[in-house]
């Protein structure tokens, strides 16, 4: 195809036609682009049908002066993000970060993980093998990748039977494309070791798996750089992307200016939202399948430096900088989750720490897990790091400090009931699926009457974990409260409005059931709830948040949902019920 462009001060018209048929300026195959900064919103008209799924940017080469203020100089993308030039630029970024960035404080030599893949040997040999670090120090990269869905080609992995032969050598052809690309990147950076979960953890040894899972925080935090295979849904796809080589679309020369304009196609004008949003928008994840994987969140957040290989370009992020191949850099002052996670290390604000954990939970629970029992281990690295920052005692996914706040989670849509026990019902980890949280902010610490007020006293809380690892799998737990247990009978609103009304009262409420198995049955129906906090107080009128519970045995209950009053109610409605001690398991 041939590509022409016509410029004026308001718009650019780009024509795409087969070489044998020059453009006549008709609507067939014509792209109409409106100029806005250095983006062009693309409207592709073919027989009157609009397709708005693509964006073209126009730029000049570095060092050239553009006569149009809205068109700036940008690096021309290589056709392959794994090209020698792309890898050379990447090494410059790593070297610059190691030399000049004080906030990216990974030591040059750090304690190595227990096992690594050795990718470079003395003498220049390119033999690959699994090695035991034996407590040595050094440098390594770490890979974050999708293994693939059931039914796809599984990655080569370390087992009890294969470990010995893999310590001798790993055949290159046995590696998936993603693993091969990770080796190429590591060698290009001049680094000797690469950590890959499938090869550095003995996959059929549960004791080894648990021991290595406990070290995830250290593994990703201490890597020179983490290689994030964002674009690949399985190992066959690899890290590197292949793009159409940029070519000039228009040349301009006069007495004062000489410039060549280049056209580049990108997936959308918001293709950086994945990296700059607090929580990556789910609508953008089609081209970034790794972001759908729950394990990936802590692998990204724990890394001081990371290279993300996306569908169309390579993106570099560290604690001090953001750099993408297309040069449309986003400032690091944007409050994305990675920046907030880094900033909380130096914050004494309880509100700020709580906000970060809330964002982490909302992003994490939206991800997918192959094994249900991984729900707490896959977050253990982040949790252990945050505990080191003063978050306090960790209990089945909740923090003991401000525990009333963390009990206010709810399922926007009912989650899935796990096939086996994972966590106490008062924990969000007791069900599978996205959660949200009613965020009280500093309201519980306000001294004036309008702030949030606790309606229960927490008497005791405990969780029992495997191997006494507070961040790993939970075997049991309980929460002892002193408060009121209110019996209610619901019916739907007479006017068909959303929400429910408690019979014989004017109390209108919103209910969110925790799991599909707990979906609201035919009304009217009876429930128990225990009020936790007020969210609003004015005189004797309050709004409350409560837990829906059901009786297991005398004095013992389990959580089944979340309840919130939609309007203020008189506190006397609750005071009719006496205060008692009870347990939620």
């Amino acid at each position: 195809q041939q590509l022409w462009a016509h410029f004026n001060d308001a718009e650019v018209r780009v024509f795409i036609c087969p070489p044998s048929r020059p453009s006549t300026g008709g609507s067939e195959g014509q792209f109409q682009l409106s100029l806005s900064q250095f983006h062009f919103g693309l409207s592709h008209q073919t027989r009157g049908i609009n397709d708005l799924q693509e964006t073209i940017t126009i730029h000049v080469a570095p060092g050239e002066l553009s006569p149009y203020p809205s068109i700036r100089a940008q690096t021309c993308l290589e056709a392959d993000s794994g090209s020698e030039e792309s890898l050379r630029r990447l090494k410059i970024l790593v070297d610059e970060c190691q030399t000049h960035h004080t906030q990216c404080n990974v030591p040059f030599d750090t304690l190595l993980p227990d096992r690594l893949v050795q990718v470079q040997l003395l003498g220049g040999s390119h033999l690959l093998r699994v090695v035991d670090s034996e407590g040595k120090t050094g440098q390594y990269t770490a890979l974050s990748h999708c293994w693939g869905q059931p039914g796809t080609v599984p990655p080569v992995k370390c087992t009890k039977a294969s470990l010995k032969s893999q310590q001798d050598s790993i055949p290159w052809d046995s590696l998936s494309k993603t693993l091969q690309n990770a080796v190429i990147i590591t060698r290009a950076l001049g680094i000797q070791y690469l950590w890959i979960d499938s090869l550095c953890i003995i996959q059929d040894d549960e004791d080894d798996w648990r021991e290595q899972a406990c070290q995830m925080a250290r593994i990703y935090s201490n890597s020179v750089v983490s290689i994030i295979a964002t674009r690949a849904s399985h190992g066959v796809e690899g890290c590197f992307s292949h793009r159409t080589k940029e070519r000039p679309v228009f040349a301009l020369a006069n007495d004062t200016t000489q410039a060549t304009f280049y056209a580049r196609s990108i997936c959308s004008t918001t293709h950086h939202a994945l990296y700059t949003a607090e929580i990556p928008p789910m609508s953008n994840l089609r081209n970034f399948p790794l972001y759908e994987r729950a394990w990936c969140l802590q692998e990204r957040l724990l890394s001081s430096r990371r290279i993300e290989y996306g569908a169309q370009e390579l993106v570099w992020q560290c604690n001090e900088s953001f750099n993408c191949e297309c040069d449309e850099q986003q400032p690091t002052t944007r409050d994305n989750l990675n920046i907030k996670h880094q900033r909380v290390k130096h914050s004494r604000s309880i509100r700020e720490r709580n906000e970060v954990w809330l964002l982490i939970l909302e992003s994490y629970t939206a991800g997918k897990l192959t094994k249900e029992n991984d729900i707490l281990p896959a977050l253990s690295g982040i949790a252990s790091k945050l505990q080191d920052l003063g978050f306090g005692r960790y209990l089945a996914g909740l923090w003991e400090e401000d525990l009333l706040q963390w009990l206010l989670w709810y399922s926007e849509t009912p989650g899935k009931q796990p096939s086996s026990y994972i966590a106490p019902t008062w924990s969000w980890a007791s069900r599978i699926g996205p959660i949200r949280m009613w965020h009280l902010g500093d309201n519980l610490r306000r001294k004036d009457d309008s702030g949030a007020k606790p309606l229960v006293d927490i008497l005791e809380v405990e969780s029992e974990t495997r191997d006494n690892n507070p961040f790993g799998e939970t075997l049991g737990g309980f929460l002892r409260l002193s408060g009121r247990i209110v019996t209610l009978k619901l019916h739907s609103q007479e006017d068909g409005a959303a929400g429910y009304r408690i019979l014989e009262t004017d109390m209108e409420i919103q209910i969110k059931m925790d799991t599909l198995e707990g979906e609201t049955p035919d009304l009217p129906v009876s429930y128990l709830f225990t009020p936790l906090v007020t969210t609003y107080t004015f005189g004797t009128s309050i709004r409350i948040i409560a837990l829906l519970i059901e009786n297991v045995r005398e004095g013992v209950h389990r959580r089944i949902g979340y309840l919130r009053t939609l309007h203020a109610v008189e506190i006397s409605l609750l005071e009719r019920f006496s205060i008692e001690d009870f347990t939620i398991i």
Side-chain angles (χ1 to χ4, degrees):
Q1 291 184 329
Q2 296 180 6
L3 186 62
W4 291 269
H6 171 71
F7 292 78
N8 61 36
D9 291 338
E11 67 178 14
V12 179
R13 288 188 177 183
V14 178
F15 304 95
I16 299 178
C17 295
S20 60
R21 190 184 65 185
S23 171
T24 59
S27 62
E28 181 73 17
Q30 175 178 319
F31 289 76
Q32 184 78 21
L33 298 97
S34 56
L35 180 60
S36 173
Q37 295 182 343
F38 51 87
H39 282 302
F40 296 87
L42 175 66
S43 175
H44 178 200
Q45 293 188 340
T46 303
R47 296 184 177 88
I49 300 175
N50 287 331
D51 179 358
L52 300 175
Q53 296 180 355
E54 191 175 20
T55 297
I56 286 178
T57 63
I58 306 293
H59 66 95
V60 297
E64 290 195 349
L65 180 64
S66 169
Y68 299 95
S70 297
I71 299 177
R72 65 179 189 175
Q74 294 179 327
T75 303
C76 292
L77 291 182
E78 295 288 310
D80 184 347
S81 63
S83 69
E84 288 187 14
E85 178 61 19
S86 292
L87 293 173
R88 185 190 68 81
R89 290 177 187 165
L90 176 60
K91 190 172 189 320
I92 291 173
L93 289 170
V94 173
D95 291 345
E96 181 180 311
C97 180
Q98 285 187 305
T99 305
H100 300 294
H101 291 180
T102 57
Q103 295 181 36
C104 307
N105 52 352
V106 178
F108 274 88
D109 281 318
T110 185
L111 183 66
L112 296 173
D114 293 342
R115 289 184 207 90
L116 290 155
V117 177
Q118 189 170 27
V119 301
Q120 291 182 337
L121 300 177
L122 295 177
S125 169
H126 280 179
L127 179 72
L128 297 171
R129 63 176 182 173
V130 174
V131 296
D132 293 324
S133 68
E134 300 175 339
K136 295 177 183 177
T137 61
Q139 292 188 326
Y140 65 95
T141 62
L143 176 65
S144 176
H145 65 123
C146 284
W147 286 34
Q149 299 300 319
T152 60
V153 179
V156 60
K157 58 185 179 181
C158 178
T159 64
K160 294 176 183 177
S162 68
L163 176 59
K164 188 176 186 308
S165 65
Q166 289 167 344
Q167 288 174 328
D168 293 330
S169 69
I170 302 172
W172 179 260
D173 291 342
S174 71
L175 299 180
S176 69
K177 192 173 182 180
T178 298
L179 271 55
Q180 290 178 350
N181 290 169
V183 171
I184 291 170
I185 295 164
T186 304
R187 287 174 174 169
L189 295 176
I191 296 172
Q192 188 174 6
Y193 299 110
L194 166 62
W195 189 88
I196 304 172
D197 54 359
S198 55
L199 284 170
C200 299
I201 301 174
I202 303 174
Q203 298 298 319
D204 56 354
D205 186 331
E206 289 191 9
D207 291 337
D208 188 68
W209 189 92
R210 291 193 191 100
E211 183 178 350
Q212 299 306 313
C214 292
Q215 299 182 41
M216 288 298 173
R218 179 171 67 87
I219 289 170
Y220 282 94
S221 297
N222 289 344
S223 66
V224 172
V225 64
S226 292
I227 301 165
I228 315 291
T230 311
R231 66 179 292 272
S233 59
H234 50 76
V236 175
E237 295 178 348
C239 299
F240 303 143
S241 57
H242 301 278
R243 295 82 61 110
T244 302
K245 186 173 179 61
E246 292 185 25
R247 56 189 187 274
V249 295
F250 186 81
L252 177 68
N254 54 37
D255 294 338
T256 59
T257 303
Q258 181 171 343
T260 301
F261 297 90
Y262 295 84
R264 173 189 301 157
S265 173
I266 58 176
C267 54
S268 72
T269 56
T270 58
H271 71 294
H272 291 106
L274 267 292
Y275 311 112
T276 56
E278 285 186 342
I279 299 177
M282 298 302 290
S283 59
N284 278 11
L285 295 187
R286 181 173 56 86
N287 293 317
F288 303 86
L290 187 65
Y291 272 70
E292 297 179 313
R293 179 175 171 256
W295 274 100
C296 173
L297 178 67
Q298 72 168 4
E299 294 166 2
R300 287 187 288 114
L301 291 186
L302 292 171
S303 304
S304 293
R305 308 181 188 100
R306 64 185 195 260
I307 318 156
E308 301 214 19
Y309 282 90
Q312 291 186 317
E313 64 174 343
L314 181 157
V315 171
W316 161 271
Q317 291 191 80
C318 66
N319 295 345
E320 292 193 21
S321 68
F322 177 100
N323 186 289
C324 60
E325 284 186 297
C326 70
D327 289 338
E328 295 174 29
Q329 299 182 17
Q330 302 290 327
T332 55
T333 52
R334 285 283 298 272
D335 279 350
N336 66 4
L337 183 51
N338 184 60
I339 297 299
K340 287 190 174 185
H341 178 251
Q342 298 300 329
R343 193 170 62 214
V344 79
K345 295 178 182 179
H346 312 287
S347 174
R348 295 185 179 181
S349 165
I350 295 175
R351 180 191 181 109
E352 189 168 13
R353 292 189 310 187
N354 286 356
E355 180 182 284
V356 168
W357 183 247
L358 171 59
L359 289 171
I360 287 171
L361 286 185
E362 291 187 356
S363 182
Y364 174 73
T365 56
K368 298 175 183 177
L369 288 167
T370 303
K371 298 178 181 179
E372 293 176 342
N373 286 341
D374 286 355
I375 191 167
L376 289 171
L379 197 60
S380 61
I382 293 178
S384 64
K385 278 287 187 181
L386 291 179
Q387 187 181 65
D388 292 342
L389 298 175
F391 269 61
R393 196 159 68 117
Y394 187 69
L395 300 157
L398 284 68
W399 299 100
E400 185 174 29
E401 185 177 17
D402 271 0
L403 184 57
L404 268 181
Q405 166 66 80
W406 305 123
L407 292 172
L408 304 183
W409 60 268
Y410 62 90
S411 303
E412 191 63 57
T413 56
K416 175 188 173 186
Q417 183 74 37
S419 56
S420 59
Y421 182 88
I422 294 180
T425 60
W426 41 266
S427 166
W428 54 265
S430 63
R431 23 76 66 226
I432 308 296
I435 67 160
R436 294 290 181 267
M437 186 87 64
W438 185 276
H439 193 204
L440 295 175
D442 290 327
N443 283 348
L444 274 174
R445 284 174 285 278
R446 286 174 58 179
K447 296 182 179 180
D448 58 87
D449 292 338
S450 63
K453 300 291 186 295
L455 295 173
V456 295
D457 291 322
I458 298 174
L459 304 178
E460 188 179 6
V461 59
E462 291 292 345
S463 67
E464 179 188 359
T465 57
R466 190 183 298 276
D467 301 326
N468 293 319
N469 172 18
F471 311 107
E473 295 177 50
T474 300
L475 303 177
F478 66 87
L479 172 66
R480 289 188 62 236
L481 300 174
S482 178
R484 294 178 168 87
I485 296 179
V486 178
T487 303
L488 58 85
K489 194 170 186 180
L490 299 182
H491 69 96
S492 57
Q493 300 278 42
E494 293 179 0
D495 58 3
Y500 303 95
R501 186 185 298 274
I502 299 178
L503 289 178
E504 301 175 356
T505 75
D506 291 329
M507 191 184 296
E508 296 178 17
I509 61 173
Q510 177 190 60
I511 286 179
K512 300 286 187 181
M513 305 305 292
D514 291 344
T515 65
L516 292 168
E517 288 76 5
E519 282 190 291
T520 306
D522 295 336
L523 300 175
V525 64
S526 294
Y527 280 123
L528 301 175
F529 75 86
T530 179
L532 292 184
V533 297
T534 66
T535 60
Y536 164 86
T537 302
F538 185 78
T540 60
S541 297
I542 58 174
R543 291 181 184 174
I544 66 168
I545 297 177
L547 301 185
L548 280 182
I549 58 177
E550 66 178 14
N551 189 55
V552 176
R553 56 184 181 272
E554 185 175 354
V556 178
H557 301 78
R558 72 181 188 98
R559 170 178 165 151
I560 60 172
Y562 162 102
L563 179 150
R564 180 172 67 91
T565 56
L566 300 177
H567 306 289
V569 298
E570 286 297 313
I571 195 170
S572 59
L573 290 173
L574 304 180
E575 292 176 340
R576 290 182 291 176
F577 298 87
S578 60
I579 295 176
E580 58 182 292
D581 296 350
F582 59 95
T583 299
I584 301 177
I585 58 173

